[in-house]
Amino acid sequence: MGQQALRRMVRHEERIQANSITDHSRGWSGMVRRLTRRQQNNGTSFRKPSPLENFVDLNLLPPELALQILKNLNATDLCLASCVWGDLANDEILWEQLCRASWGFCSAYDFWKADGRSFKRLFLLLDESCLTFNTKPEWGIQYLIDNGVLEDEGAKIARFFHSTNQLCWHKVRTYLNTRQDVLEEFIKLQNFKNQFLPNALRKFFHAVQAPTTHRENLAGLIDKFSRQFCADNPDVKLKPETVAMLCFSLILLSVDLTSPNVKNKMSKREFVRNICQATHQLEEAAFNRLPRHRRPVVMVATTVGRDFAGHLYDNVYLIGHVAPQRWNDNISV
């Protein structure tokens, strides 16, 4: 009897707890239904808000602030933004900034704004010309000339090449080989100030294609580079003839050290001795060409010493060929 009474009491307590849990859950569910109904009556819901709902409409901002935001976009994103904010995204200030950031110079900058033309149109013309140039260089330049964006002058075309990074430099070097007037103006725009001679020569051959055959005028390129290097570095006190001789020596040394066909590499001692002898002979020949009444009493000593020649050898030995793209272009062909 005692055990049966105990079981009845346990079952009774379990029924009481189950009923209390059910009533509690019914209370919570009823509360949730009431809150949901109230939110629906107020026009709101519990859905997650979209990110676009928190995005600021640029039309509600001051124009100066909206333009500052749009200045951070590239051309593609700015075109997409014009689908929403047409007046702001088509502002001439934005497109002029994009044009000058990608192409530092073109002849149209002098008159485009005064003529009331669209800089967005100018950007599209420049972009189309670069795509054409990277396939057919002559067609790309002619496209700019026909549309009045660039004048057919050597100095203007050289400045256009020098002020942009939108062009394939292999195609630029190919075009320069066909226009000597553009090549001469392009070399004048190169800056070799405070640069060691082998490093300046590498920079030169990065911009100008190194000749790969004997028919091409390597001597003419070296002569132009030597004059520009001396003009940019008057403190070095080297004559253009001396710089040209050193450039040829560096090219020969580069071939000697990098070519797998050369088994017996030139040593540093041999290079230094050859440079000193060649420099002395060059200075002596220049001294003898002077009229007797203009010759100094004592021939001026050469400025190319053994230490300087040793530094030239070390640079080529450690860094490599002074015209590396000559070999890379041959491999890719």
Side-chain angles (χ1 to χ4, degrees), residues 60-312:
L60 302 178
L61 298 177
E64 297 81 4
L65 182 57
L67 291 178
Q68 288 295 328
I69 296 174
L70 293 176
K71 280 183 179 180
N72 298 295
L73 302 180
N74 56 28
T76 303
D77 294 338
L78 198 58
C79 289
L80 294 176
S82 64
C83 299
V84 182
W85 304 288
D87 295 337
L88 291 173
N90 290 322
D91 192 275
E92 290 296 305
I93 297 176
L94 297 176
W95 287 101
E96 181 179 1
Q97 179 185 2
L98 284 176
C99 289
R100 294 184 181 274
S102 300
W103 300 276
F105 171 82
C106 72
S107 304
Y109 290 157
D110 298 333
F111 58 85
W112 204 263
K113 182 184 293 185
D115 293 349
R117 303 187 188 183
S118 170
F119 274 96
K120 183 177 181 179
R121 171 63 178 168
L122 178 60
F123 183 94
L124 296 177
L125 290 174
L126 289 168
D127 186 63
E128 180 65 24
S129 69
C130 288
L131 294 175
T132 306
F133 183 92
N134 292 336
T135 304
K136 296 288 185 180
E138 293 80 7
W139 293 3
I141 295 299
Q142 191 61 42
Y143 181 83
L144 292 175
I145 296 173
D146 294 342
N147 286 277
V149 178
L150 188 65
E151 298 180 24
D152 191 8
E153 298 180 7
K156 300 294 181 64
I157 298 176
R159 286 186 62 186
F160 177 76
F161 288 159
H162 187 69
S163 64
T164 182
N165 58 355
Q166 304 296 314
L167 302 175
C168 174
W169 279 106
H170 177 70
K171 297 297 183 180
V172 172
R173 294 194 296 264
T174 302
Y175 183 85
L176 292 176
N177 289 337
T178 63
R179 292 284 300 268
Q180 291 298 316
D181 57 335
V182 180
L183 175 61
E184 292 180 1
E185 296 295 334
F186 186 75
I187 293 175
K188 293 178 183 179
L189 296 174
Q190 305 301 309
N191 183 14
F192 305 116
K193 188 175 183 180
N194 298 328
Q195 294 188 17
F196 194 37
L197 181 59
N199 297 333
L201 194 58
R202 288 189 187 91
K203 179 181 179 181
F204 175 75
F205 281 127
H206 177 73
V208 179
Q209 186 172 5
T212 57
T213 64
H214 295 290
R215 291 176 295 176
E216 299 182 49
N217 190 12
L218 176 61
L221 290 177
I222 294 298
D223 180 69
K224 293 180 176 64
F225 166 77
S226 301
R227 297 182 184 281
Q228 187 66 31
F229 181 83
C230 292
D232 291 341
N233 299 279
D235 297 337
V236 178
K237 298 180 181 179
L238 291 175
K239 297 180 180 179
E241 296 81 4
T242 304
V243 174
M245 183 273 297
L246 293 175
C247 290
F248 281 110
S249 301
L250 290 171
I251 293 174
L252 293 175
L253 177 64
S254 299
V255 175
D256 185 272
L257 294 181
T258 59
S259 175
N261 298 323
V262 179
K263 303 301 180 182
N264 298 323
K265 306 296 184 182
M266 182 182 295
S267 65
K268 182 177 181 180
R269 179 177 298 179
E270 292 173 338
F271 179 79
V272 171
R273 183 181 67 248
N274 294 339
I275 287 294
C276 292
Q277 291 178 356
T279 305
H280 178 75
Q281 294 174 1
L282 186 64
E283 296 290 343
E284 186 177 6
F287 178 81
N288 294 331
R289 285 196 300 267
L290 293 174
R292 291 185 176 276
H293 66 279
R294 295 184 58 186
R295 294 179 183 178
V297 178
V298 181
M299 187 175 67
V300 179
T302 178
T303 54
V304 180
R306 300 182 66 86
D307 292 339
F308 182 79
H311 293 324
L312 294 177

